Amino acid sequence: MRILALEPYYGGSHRAFLDGCRRHSRHHWTLLQLPPNKWKWRMRQSPLLFAWQAEEALARGGRFDLLFCSDMLPLAEFFGLAPAPLRELPSVVYFHENQLTYPFRFKKERDYHFGLSNISSALAADEVWFNSAYHRDAFLDAIPTFLSKMPDHRPLAAEEKIRAKSQVHHPGIESDSTKTPRPERRPGPLHILWAARWEHDKDPETFFNAIRRLHRQGNDFRLSVVGERFRERPAVFDDAQKLYADRILNWGFLEKRSDYEAALREADVFVSTARHEFFGLSTVEAMAAGALPLLPRRLTYPELLALDQDPTRERFFYDGSANNLADRLRDHCQAASAGDLLSASDTTALAARFHWSKVAPELDRALESSTATSRSASPTRRS
């Protein structure tokens, strides 16, 4: 199949997903993309720019069987501007995130225009894919409340229409990095890794509160805190860097992918304190690299560890509080010092189901199915 992919925000998880699809798919992908800057402007400008670029691609002889885009593209607007041959294509919108439930520190920061764009895109698409079941349910359940903010003429049927064509397709991870063996683990300090964007929705305050308690108790540990940093970030990072300078192994954004993968392999425990996570790519990558996960029992995490299939995996969760996290880390510190740290073989095997070698064939089959279903549904689509 010939797939036209439209990505207004070609960076981060959006880029990793599309690069993986294009690298491992048996289909041919043509990508139109914009750099990952100023996401609000990208959402507003991308329908116009991509309509022009797609028209040029058709003029050069390009032919396509399916249209694939992320949630960052207002698909209904694109269809209003796009050439007729593209309006006739089967379409899939992939939700990495959404603007209905994405958390903001202050309510006034939420721009309802973008939430409505997400709903319109989902209605315009033939299929709506989500990167996790948690994300799908959160988005669909939020639609009635979101629409209730309208003064009148609320399109409440939208939720049912979108639900009927929604699917879950997890993204993949590259498996090459997992082929490098982990260093031999000898008795010694526990190496704790926290890897996330340095923003409030990842709740770094809870993490560092737990580390402070761990430190005061006299536990021996080493610390890696990595992730994308921004000009404005929670002050707790600067404070922690000073407090634990003698324990820090990695700090800040690791420019080289190889350095990030090395940090994953060297870590004993991967900690998340996130209060927002639609999938959890860094968690899966850490598990694949052999780090023990220690996760709050919420969001996508029970899904990623298939907790419903094996209750013994409760050992990889804590209750979300700093005190309970510190207690769990203390147990790991003692085990690490004694050379009795648990094996991560269970979670490594769980992460293997997210390798692109397994995910790509499933995505290919789903794309083929969407094309076949769309063509058999109606001979006339959006002309």
Side-chain angles (χ1 to χ4, degrees):
M1 283 198 326
R2 298 159 298 183
I3 300 169
L4 177 61
L6 308 176
E7 179 50 71
Y9 202 83
Y10 186 56
S13 60
H14 292 227
R15 179 169 184 167
F17 178 77
L18 281 175
D19 287 354
C21 285
R22 295 162 68 200
R23 187 178 301 116
H24 297 279
S25 174
R26 61 174 170 263
H27 301 305
H28 176 72
W29 291 67
T30 297
L31 174 63
L32 301 182
Q33 52 89 5
L34 293 170
N37 299 318
K38 302 291 184 182
W39 71 268
K40 290 185 177 182
W41 273 111
R42 291 296 186 241
M43 284 192 73
R44 289 189 168 114
Q45 72 188 138
S46 56
L48 175 60
L49 292 175
F50 285 159
W52 288 350
Q53 292 175 9
E55 187 172 16
E56 292 172 357
L58 291 175
R60 294 193 299 268
R63 295 294 179 267
F64 306 103
D65 302 304
L66 183 139
L67 184 70
F68 190 96
C69 70
S70 77
D71 55 274
M72 294 294 288
L73 176 71
L75 185 60
E77 293 180 38
F78 173 80
F79 280 139
L81 297 165
L86 296 187
R87 296 198 300 269
E88 291 296 306
L89 291 179
S91 56
V92 175
V93 58
Y94 191 91
F95 275 77
H96 295 273
E97 64 278 305
N98 75 80
Q99 299 306 315
L100 273 66
T101 65
Y102 194 96
F104 291 93
R105 293 187 67 196
F106 307 104
K107 287 185 178 180
K108 66 180 181 180
E109 293 179 344
R110 189 177 301 281
D111 188 328
Y112 294 113
H113 165 82
F114 296 107
L116 192 57
S117 288
N118 279 171
I119 293 174
S120 297
S121 292
L123 289 170
D126 291 302
E127 292 185 1
V128 185
W129 292 8
F130 293 90
N131 55 356
S132 69
Y134 164 79
H135 187 188
R136 175 199 61 198
D137 295 344
F139 178 75
L140 293 172
D141 292 347
I143 290 177
T145 300
F146 180 86
L147 294 179
S148 71
K149 300 180 185 301
M150 293 182 174
D152 52 24
H153 299 289
R154 304 176 183 95
L156 297 179
E159 186 252 341
E160 182 179 353
K161 290 179 179 294
I162 296 170
R163 186 180 296 274
K165 53 183 174 179
S166 292
Q167 302 178 21
V168 174
H169 294 286
H170 297 125
I173 62 170
E174 297 294 346
S175 56
D176 291 346
S177 61
T178 65
K179 295 177 181 177
T180 303
R182 289 177 64 83
E184 181 182 354
R185 185 61 171 89
R186 297 177 180 177
L190 183 74
H191 183 180
I192 303 168
L193 171 66
W194 187 93
R197 285 182 288 102
W198 289 21
E199 293 187 294
H200 287 282
D201 64 293
K202 301 304 182 182
D203 196 11
E205 290 82 5
T206 290
F207 175 71
F208 287 116
N209 284 340
I211 293 300
R212 186 179 302 112
R213 179 175 177 179
L214 199 67
H215 187 215
R216 288 174 177 172
Q217 292 173 344
N219 295 285
D220 198 5
F221 61 88
R222 299 294 179 266
L223 201 58
S224 288
V225 177
V226 303
E228 187 177 4
R229 297 188 293 182
F230 303 91
R231 183 178 304 171
E232 294 183 10
R233 57 178 179 266
V236 68
F237 287 101
D238 294 333
D239 296 338
Q241 187 177 16
K242 297 174 184 176
L243 284 171
Y244 309 115
D246 60 335
R247 297 170 182 259
I248 291 172
L249 300 180
N250 298 284
W251 193 264
F253 183 69
L254 301 178
E255 295 284 349
K256 295 182 180 179
R257 176 70 188 184
S258 58
D259 291 339
Y260 176 68
E261 292 172 353
L264 294 180
R265 289 193 302 272
E266 293 164 2
D268 296 313
V269 176
F270 172 89
V271 174
S272 172
T273 48
R275 295 195 173 276
H276 156 68
E277 193 79 271
F278 286 127
F279 176 66
L281 189 62
S282 60
T283 300
V284 175
E285 290 177 334
M287 289 163 50
L292 289 167
L294 193 49
L295 312 169
R297 201 180 185 285
R298 59 180 178 236
L299 307 175
T300 66
Y301 299 128
E303 178 182 347
L304 295 185
L305 270 70
L307 182 59
D308 59 335
Q309 299 177 22
D310 186 353
T312 66
R313 293 174 188 146
E314 285 282 2
R315 66 187 184 276
F316 300 121
F317 294 90
Y318 67 100
D319 67 6
S321 69
N323 287 345
N324 188 232
L325 174 57
D327 290 344
R328 299 297 309 281
L329 287 172
R330 178 200 61 211
D331 294 341
H332 284 317
C333 283
Q334 294 172 354
S337 295
D340 294 329
L341 200 63
L342 288 172
S343 167
S345 59
D346 186 19
T347 54
T348 302
L350 280 172
R353 67 194 175 107
F354 297 106
H355 289 174
W356 273 114
S357 59
K358 293 185 172 65
V359 170
E362 296 173 1
L363 292 177
D364 280 344
R365 287 192 291 271
L367 290 168
E368 293 158 12
S369 176
S370 65
T371 304
T373 302
S374 178
R375 284 177 174 167
S376 64
S378 174
T380 302
R381 296 168 50 77
R382 299 183 185 89
S383 57

